[in-house]
Amino acid sequence: MDDKNSDRALLATAVRDALPLFVPAIPFALVLGLAIVGSGINPWLAWTTSPIVYGGAAQLTLISLLGEGASVAAAVMAALVVNARHLMYSAALAPTFQQQPRWFQWFGPYLLIDQTFALGVLRGDDDPRTFRLYYITAGLTFWALWQLTTLLALFLGPLVPASWGLDFAVPILFLGLLVMMIDQWPKAAVALLAAAVTWLCADLPNRSGLLVGALCGVAAGITLEKLRE
Amino acid sequence: MTTFLAILATGLGTYFSRGSFILVLANRRIPPNIMLALQYVAPAVLGALITTMLVGPTGDTEIGLAELTALATAGVVAWRFRNAIYTLLAGMAMFWLAGALQ
């Protein structure tokens, strides 16, 4: 009986921790809805990115690039690298997951987004069962909210007249995201260089200049880092 | 069909990047050089991505004064407040305002 009560308390804590962290995802959901409508892709098909990919930036990248006429390869690669930080999350949580049953090692990564990572690392020292319950509850809370808000955005998107130019919300949001991740000047330099090279390579087929620009940016970042040492 | 395959590939790739260390590389550390490169991947990709959205396939751009002021406003607000909602609201408000004044 006591166990049941403490479990219930744990689940309530997980949901309570998750809800405020979901708020920053809401503009992403809305902008995704607009991008889906603007892309010309069947909205229901585009929405399946929510359960299949389950990552706002990757979904937005994939949908907008396909809408821009990028090749499938360029769009998929860009969508994958935009979330390169997942590798770091996975590495950081791996020790905690070693004490978990195999099924959870397979299921857990599906729910691994910025928010579950932030909550998960704080709970790394919990006993395995407590960690698992907490992670799944918080993770599924985010998951359900994301599915719902992106579905809602699908209906809200077409209601906005095209003359409002809401498509422009996509680059605005990405720019905001970029600025917020800049904590030292080399990152700003890297972003600017990647942007410049992408512009210079704009006429490459299937918008593949994007990949050239991104690669040059990363190479420049590594070079800058070596020079600073 | 192609679109669905693209979604599926992105889904699988995303899943395995999240699962990489948890599933198979549990006792490995990310080599310092890779770690270094990783922190530049997101800024580089976002810089390239934003440009792709603003520039057409021939290098032409339809970016006018309204777009530029909106992007600048969004950049400043994002820097100052570190908040996606404020950034979006300020950027779009400036976009409409500057568009209406033109």
Side-chain angles (χ1 to χ4, degrees):
Chain A
M1 200 60 208
D2 263 2
D3 266 6
K4 235 179 195 156
N5 275 333
S6 66
D7 276 1
R8 202 166 298 158
L10 179 67
L11 300 192
T13 310
V15 173
R16 226 180 7 250
D17 290 350
L19 287 178
L21 284 183
F22 185 73
V23 175
I26 295 172
F28 261 96
L30 294 178
V31 173
L32 181 66
L34 296 167
I36 287 177
V37 173
S39 71
I41 299 169
N42 176 311
W44 296 106
L45 179 61
W47 178 79
T48 63
T49 52
S50 279
I52 296 177
V53 178
Y54 186 45
Q59 289 176 250
L60 200 50
T61 303
L62 182 71
I63 298 296
S64 1
L65 282 178
L66 288 177
E68 296 265 351
S71 72
V72 168
V76 171
M77 267 158 87
L80 288 180
V81 286
V82 86
N83 275 337
R85 66 187 182 288
H86 287 151
L87 286 173
M88 300 188 230
Y89 293 170
S90 192
L93 283 179
T96 309
F97 269 85
Q98 287 325 294
Q99 310 147 27
Q100 296 291 345
R102 200 64 184 155
W103 68 265
F104 185 57
Q105 293 178 349
W106 281 97
F107 180 54
Y110 174 63
L111 297 174
L112 184 54
I113 56 173
D114 294 345
Q115 286 92 335
T116 31
F117 173 73
L119 293 177
V121 280
L122 295 177
R123 288 272 177 166
D125 295 331
D126 286 5
D127 72 275
R129 184 174 172 278
T130 307
F131 176 83
R132 194 161 63 240
L133 276 180
Y134 180 87
Y135 182 97
I136 292 180
T137 310
L140 286 179
T141 306
F142 290 126
W143 186 85
L145 286 171
W146 181 249
Q147 306 307 321
L148 271 175
T149 41
T150 50
L151 197 64
L152 206 64
L154 217 56
F155 291 102
L156 291 177
L159 298 182
V160 182
S163 61
W164 288 16
L166 267 186
D167 302 0
F168 200 60
V170 184
I172 293 263
L173 188 63
F174 272 127
L175 179 74
L177 200 64
L178 172 61
V179 169
M180 283 186 263
M181 70 175 52
I182 287 174
D183 49 9
Q184 40 170 335
W185 69 265
K187 288 192 185 168
V190 159
L192 283 174
L193 182 85
V197 174
T198 305
W199 195 349
L200 291 174
C201 299
D203 55 352
L204 288 182
N206 299 321
R207 320 293 325 247
S208 48
L210 165 84
L211 298 177
V212 181
L215 273 177
C216 288
V218 175
I222 296 170
T223 313
L224 277 176
E225 200 73 41
K226 294 283 171 214
L227 287 177
R228 282 208 299 176
E229 272 168 15
Chain B
M1 192 59 202
T2 324
T3 307
F4 187 67
L5 286 179
I7 293 172
L8 216 55
T10 309
L12 279 173
T14 304
Y15 173 78
F16 281 106
S17 71
R18 286 166 174 162
S20 54
F21 285 87
I22 291 172
L23 286 167
V24 286
L25 303 168
N27 299 316
R28 310 272 177 84
R29 293 262 160 269
I30 302 184
N33 276 330
I34 305 282
M35 199 67 176
L36 213 67
L38 275 180
Q39 59 171 331
Y40 290 108
V41 171
V45 173
L46 282 175
L49 201 59
I50 295 164
T51 312
T52 306
M53 289 172 180
L54 299 178
V55 177
T58 50
D60 57 317
T61 171
E62 283 161 24
I63 302 303
L65 200 59
E67 284 85 355
L68 277 182
T69 12
L71 287 169
T73 308
V76 171
V77 171
W79 182 258
R80 175 73 182 75
F81 295 97
R82 310 253 149 195
N83 180 312
I85 298 177
Y86 295 171
T87 304
L88 198 60
L89 288 178
M92 288 313 286
M94 186 52 85
F95 179 54
W96 287 320
L97 191 68
L101 291 178
Q102 266 180 350

